[in-house]
Amino acid sequence: MKIKNLIFAIMFLISSPTFASGPYDGIWALFPYGYITITERENVLIAVVLATDDDDGGWGAYQGPRDGNTARLNTIFGNAQVTFDVNFESDTTMKATIVSCQPNPDYYCLFPAGTVLNINKVW
């Protein structure tokens, strides 16, 4: 089952930009925790997070509307139900603020509510 999840995450990471239309589309680094790929279509962001610091290569998918340079994203797949606000400070930098995190059974939230993460675009 984990192999299928990893393949699914990789497909999101290398998905064709042909269907994407957002100014923030690309791969972002959340050092040292992992990478985020962002794809946008019709002002809806999809963010797929691949945790490289996790032994089993954990990942999650999040979705939400973008309004200008901000977005509120919610879990569509993952080990926790997370809501976070994203503020794109430029085309290559963003801050993500954890609004809430409710872990699924046998999991935990890596970041508590209120945590602000600095994220940089790498591609």
Side-chain angles (χ1 to χ4, degrees), residues 26-50:
I27 298 174
W28 298 73
L30 177 58
F31 184 78
Y33 304 103
Y35 295 91
I36 302 167
T37 183
I38 294 179
T39 304
E40 179 180 357
R41 189 169 187 187
E42 298 174 3
N43 289 341
V44 175
L45 294 180
I46 300 287
V48 176
V49 178
L50 179 60

Side-chain angles (χ1 to χ4, degrees), residues 3 6 16 20-22 26 29 49-50 56 68 84 87 99 104 108-109:
I3 296 293
L6 184 58
S16 170
S21 63
V49 178
L50 179 60
D56 66 355
F84 59 96
N87 181 36
V99 174
N104 294 338
Y108 64 94
C109 293

Side-chain angles (χ1 to χ4, degrees), residues 93-108:
T93 60
M94 75 167 141
K95 289 188 185 281
T97 303
I98 307 298
V99 174
S100 66
C101 182
Q102 298 297 317
N104 294 338
D106 299 323
Y107 290 95
Y108 64 94

Side-chain angles (χ1 to χ4, degrees), residues 12 46-47 60-63 74-78 80-82:
F12 266 112
I46 300 287
Y62 307 87
Q63 175 181 336
N74 293 289
T75 302
I76 54 178
F77 178 85
Q81 300 307 306
V82 182

